[in-house]
Every structure is written in structure tokens, then in C-alpha cells.
Amino acid sequence: TAVGIDAIEIRTGKLQLDLPNTFAPKKGEDPEKYTKGLGLETSSFPDVYEDIVTMGANAAKSLLDRKGLAPDEIGRIDVATESAFDHSKPVSTYIAGCLEQVYDGDFRHANKGERKFACVSGTQAIDDAYNWIRAGRNRGRAALVIATDTALYERGDPGEATQGAGAVAMLVTEDPSIVELSTEQGYGSMDETDFLKPNQQFPSVDGKRSMQVYLSRMREALEDYESIVGPVEPDTVAYAPFHTPFPGMVRKAGLFAYRHITRNTSIEDELADSIGRQPREDDYGSREAYEEAISEYMDALKGTDRYQDWYAETIEPTLGLSRVVGNWYTGSVHLARTSALRDAAERGLDDAFVGERLLVGSYGSGAQAEIHSETVRPGWREEIEALDIDEQLASRYDLSFEEYTQVHEVHDYDKSVDVEEFTVPDGEFVFTGWGRMNERTYDYVE
Ligand code: CAA
């Protein structure tokens, strides 16, 4: 039986920051650095009553309501996040607690947990759900996987430009409506110090290095994946959704991936063929000469029509949501998949798209990349058309720079500031304050 993703719901933070028009002028930077360089228009932020729990619980509630599911039909709730505020009690218990306020029945029978490995943990939580179902331990129940983050950086950090906040809830079941997951996976994993939060809320980031590590681990994951399934032919992939910290990163990842899967034309492999082994730096005389040769090759490849066409069809459509919400860390690759499927629906594809392949590349700093493929299932279009993300995006409150600085402080756990909410809660879970043991508390507002 096929196992995979049966339903998706997305919840964006209810505030937005306009990067070219509000943020760039205050930073004294050219707006095109954001729109053209990083590839971003706006980022999402949580209102003062929103956080990882409310966004996750609101996404999960929409999903359960739309699918008509009761708590006893969910056997597992896993949350993936790198924004947790509790080192012991998992965010999934807070979310289950929220949901129990509004449903008859409870989640006492459900196995709950929290997955951590930076942004790749959303995909790892889906793997756990897949394995649980494949092992026959689910007793007919579905798994709820929620990737939720407030991706905020220290004010003034270069990463500030790529912030974002939101949650993606996914239902993993047998006979799924959206995609079937492949059994084969490729990994590239190594102890790296590129982006981390050693007991601190905002990350320590070596931005330039993190980009190199992303590309290296992704290449290894692709090699590992191909060692199981054989070479990936570019025209067998309908879309390649990759982890998207910002679209400019995926512009580079797309080129690297294409170079890899069309490697028979790469200079490294031509050289490997002629010398009978993988080339080393000294084949070029120096590291600089080697890097220059690779960079010249990449520039030439980037300029070819075949690459431009492949990129326009396979990668560019995965970036639609990311451009207007920023980085959602654990949810980001799942937004990329959703953007791809939305593109297919907009192109009017329906049954013809069933059976097509997505090549999904996840990445978590620290660092690990994972590649697997997914096969589109009958029912995908109805599920994707049920999303209300366009309405959510259109109703975000547009922050001034001054308001943005206040919102940033509200979500800094080290600070206690009193700021009025910008939007009015309406049929959703809200953060209400702190309880007797310093736990965060929540209510449902009708
Ligand atoms: N017009 C057009 N393009 C412009 C421009 C202009 N006026 N000004 C700059 N650009 C381009 C630059 O050329 C650059 O593009 P290329 O890399 O293709 O050359 C791009 O805009 C960004 O400019 P900078 O490199 O100068 O930007 P920066 O140094 O201020 O910051 C960053 C970039 C280092 C990625 C920073 O945003 C950062 O630290 N981000 C957080 C870390 C991150 O996201 N890393 C990604 C990999 S790690 C990961 O994926 C995990 C995760 O989620 C965090």
C-alpha cells in the first residue's frame, strides 16, 4: 500500500514586513538586493498573540476540520521546530492541549514527540510517521506532523533579511491523496558549525559558510540517493522542491543539482574519465585554479537554454510562497512542495499530473541534507485547491519599520514588552500568558 501525505494545511503569521519598501530603505540598501538577490518580497511575522504553538494548532485544526477527523483517528502527533521554548515538554503536548479545548475526545492515546535537526526535522518527522505506518503500528490511525517556526534573527544580523514565521500541518496516511513517499532516501550528513542556537533564542550564523555547507551536503545526499535508484534524468522530475531559506539559495542549489544530474557533461567528469579517478585540486595546479575552472563551467551551464528551461519548469515554481513569507525553517521545504503543486493546478493539470515525480531536497544546518522522491496521487488537486493561503496572505497587517522593531522585541523571550495586537483574533488559538510553572498558556477565541 502507498504511504504518504494525505493533506496539508498552512498557517502564516498574521503580520508582514515589506522588504524592498519598508526594510531596505531603513538599512540603506538597494531594494533589488532583496527582490533580485535574495528573491524575497515580504516576510511573515506572528502577531503578539501568535507563536509556534498557536500557528501549529491553528494549522492542525484547519486540517482536522477539513478532513472531518476526530482525535481518536490520530495516533501520533510530531512537531518539528527549532524555535521551541521548553527543553523538556514537547511542543506537540501544547498543541494537543489546544486542540483538546475545542474537540470532543482527547489525544491521550496518541504518541507525541518533538523532532530536532534544524530545518530538516520536518522531513524527519514525516519519515518517522511513514515508518510507524509501514511497521503496522498505527492501528488504522493517521499521523499528524506539524512543522512550526518563528525564524527570527538578532537585529542587525545579515539573516534578518530572510526572517519568516508560519506552520505547515501534514497528515501522513495509507492510500494518501497528495503524494506517495519513496522508500529510498539519500543522505549527506556531517558535524558542521554553520548555524546553531546553543541555548539561545536567536541563531549564531556563519551565513556564507552555511550556503557552502548546504550545497555540499545536498550534493552528497543526491549522490547517496542515486547510489540506490540509479542516475536521475532531468526530464523525469516534474518539480524539485528544495529547502528554501531564501529563493536565491535555491537558485544556486538548482544549478548544482542540474550540474550533478547532467554530470556526463561536467568538466570534473570529463577529467575523471581521462585520468581514471575523481579530479583533485592538484590536477589544476592550485585551489584557485580549480575553483575558477568550476565557476567558469557553472557560469557557462547557467547560460544554456536547456538549463534555463529546466530551471523555469522544475525549480522556479517551487519558490512562489517562499518569496512572500520568508524562511519558515522546518516548514520551508513543505511550502516549496505546496508551491509546486499550486503551480501544477494553475497550469490546469489534473489526472495528467498523477504519477509524476517530485525530487524533494531537505536541509538542516549542523548539518544534514536528505533527498527522496514523491509520486503524485489522484486527489492531489482537490487537496491543494482547498488551501486558503491566498486569503491569509492578503489579510496580513503590513508593519511599519517602527512596528516591526516592536514585534521583534515581543518575540524575544529575553524581553518583556507590552505591545498592542495589530490584528483581531477570529476563530483561532491565541497565546494568553504564563501559568503557575512558567508554562505558556493558550485559549481558543471564537
Ligand atoms: N541587486 C541585485 N542583487 C544584489 C544586489 C542588488 N542591488 N545587492 C546584492 N545582491 C545579491 C548578491 O549578489 C547576492 O547574490 P549572489 O549570492 O547570487 O551573488 C545576494 O543578493 C545576497 O547579497 P549578499 O550576499 O551581499 O547578502 P548578505 O551577505 O547581506 O546576506 C546571507 C546573505 C549570508 C545568506 C544572509 O541572509 C544570512 O546569513 N542568512 C541566514 C543564513 C542562511 O539562510 N543560510 C542559507 C543556508 S543554511 C540553511 O538553509 C538553513 C536555514 O534555513 C537557516
Side-chain angles (χ1 to χ4, degrees):
T1 324
V3 175
I5 302 173
D6 186 58
I8 296 178
E9 278 291 341
I10 297 172
R11 181 78 180 198
T12 174
K14 293 171 78 173
L15 309 178
Q16 73 172 33
L17 178 65
D18 183 321
L19 292 164
N21 297 308
T22 306
F23 189 70
K26 289 282 176 189
K27 299 292 256 187
E29 282 177 325
D30 182 352
E32 295 207 334
K33 170 176 173 182
Y34 297 87
T35 50
K36 297 223 164 99
L38 297 169
L40 292 165
E41 297 289 339
T42 47
S43 19
S44 286
F45 286 89
D47 204 336
V48 298
Y49 56 85
E50 293 185 290
D51 67 7
I52 49 171
V53 171
T54 66
M55 293 186 299
N58 287 318
K61 180 172 182 299
S62 301
L63 190 149
L64 297 181
D65 288 350
R66 187 163 64 74
K67 299 295 278 189
L69 289 169
D72 67 1
E73 291 169 281
I74 303 295
R76 186 178 175 100
I77 306 179
D78 277 320
V79 168
T81 186
E82 44 191 305
S83 322
F85 48 77
D86 192 320
H87 290 302
S88 174
K89 187 174 147 59
V91 171
S92 50
T93 61
Y94 287 91
I95 290 182
C98 285
L99 296 172
E100 285 173 356
Q101 293 183 31
V102 296
Y103 289 107
D104 287 337
D106 57 47
F107 294 95
R108 285 178 193 216
H109 55 275
N111 186 3
K112 307 180 188 87
E114 190 172 303
R115 251 300 190 168
K116 178 169 76 180
F117 197 147
C119 310
V120 75
S121 63
T123 298
Q124 290 180 319
I126 288 183
D127 281 350
D128 293 341
Y130 177 92
N131 295 339
W132 174 72
I133 294 172
R134 276 256 174 261
R137 290 178 154 178
N138 61 323
R139 293 188 254 164
R141 288 172 168 144
L144 184 57
V145 171
I146 302 160
T148 181
D149 271 300
T150 47
L152 298 189
Y153 290 77
E154 201 82 67
R155 293 286 320 283
D157 187 291
E160 196 183 357
T162 67
Q163 297 176 120
V168 182
M170 291 165 281
L171 198 69
V172 181
T173 63
E174 279 175 319
D175 197 17
S177 293
I178 303 182
V179 285
E180 176 181 1
L181 298 162
S182 65
T183 308
E184 299 82 10
Q185 295 169 297
Y187 292 99
S189 187
M190 198 166 153
D191 178 12
E192 295 275 9
T193 309
D194 58 333
F195 169 110
L196 57 162
K197 295 182 170 183
N199 290 324
Q200 64 197 46
Q201 186 191 354
F202 298 127
S204 299
V205 195
D206 184 342
K208 299 288 178 205
R209 175 152 175 73
S210 73
M211 295 170 72
Q212 290 307 321
V213 175
Y214 175 121
L215 295 173
S216 303
R217 301 293 83 79
M218 201 63 94
R219 180 176 47 75
E220 290 162 8
L222 197 49
E223 280 168 7
D224 192 40
Y225 176 69
E226 288 190 315
S227 75
I228 324 169
V229 302
V232 175
E233 300 296 336
D235 57 5
T236 63
V237 176
Y239 293 101
F242 279 44
H243 169 59
T244 314
F246 53 93
M249 181 72 238
V250 176
R251 220 167 36 224
K252 296 181 202 297
L255 185 60
F256 268 69
Y258 190 78
R259 181 187 75 161
H260 181 78
I261 59 185
T262 57
R263 65 200 161 291
N264 290 338
T265 55
S266 98
I267 45 169
E268 284 151 305
D269 280 25
E270 277 166 24
L271 193 64
D273 284 346
S274 69
I275 59 179
R277 60 170 167 74
Q278 280 303 307
R280 291 192 295 259
E281 274 169 54
D282 51 10
D283 294 322
Y284 292 87
S286 70
R287 174 91 207 155
E288 289 70 38
Y290 172 74
E291 278 176 3
E292 203 177 313
I294 297 286
S295 150
E296 270 173 25
Y297 173 73
M298 295 294 261
D299 281 347
L301 180 61
K302 197 163 34 173
T304 59
D305 286 348
R306 67 192 161 99
Y307 175 70
Q308 293 291 343
D309 292 349
W310 184 80
Y311 181 85
E313 282 170 20
T314 317
I315 304 269
E316 177 63 31
T318 69
L319 304 175
L321 289 170
S322 167
R323 279 188 201 294
V324 289
V325 301
N327 195 354
W328 285 12
Y329 287 161
T330 55
S332 161
V333 67
H334 307 292
L335 280 181
R337 175 200 297 105
T338 307
S339 297
L341 296 172
R342 275 160 54 92
D343 180 72
E346 275 160 25
R347 282 167 50 208
L349 296 177
D350 203 336
D351 290 347
F353 194 48
V354 174
E356 290 287 323
R357 171 152 86 149
L358 312 183
L359 187 71
V360 181
S362 305
Y363 173 73
S365 292
Q368 181 162 303
E370 189 261 14
I371 298 264
H372 68 260
S373 77
E374 299 178 0
T375 310
V376 177
R377 299 269 302 169
W380 70 275
R381 188 169 167 150
E382 205 184 322
E383 290 296 326
I384 290 305
E385 287 183 340
L387 288 171
D388 69 348
I389 184 65
D390 290 325
E391 291 78 18
Q392 289 185 49
L393 290 171
S395 60
R396 284 181 298 178
Y397 176 87
D398 194 27
L399 294 164
S400 68
F401 190 81
E402 179 57 28
E403 289 167 337
Y404 157 67
T405 62
Q406 294 172 353
V407 167
H408 198 281
E409 289 206 350
V410 167
H411 295 289
D412 182 343
Y413 302 140
D414 295 336
K415 293 188 180 146
S416 178
V417 287
D418 210 7
V419 175
E420 287 287 308
E421 55 203 38
F422 295 91
T423 59
V424 182
D426 180 17
E428 63 195 285
F429 296 104
V430 296
F431 165 66
T432 51
W434 287 266
R436 75 189 165 91
M437 289 174 73
N438 207 25
E439 77 278 19
R440 289 170 77 87
T441 56
Y442 300 92
D443 267 346
Y444 186 76
V445 174
E446 292 291 340

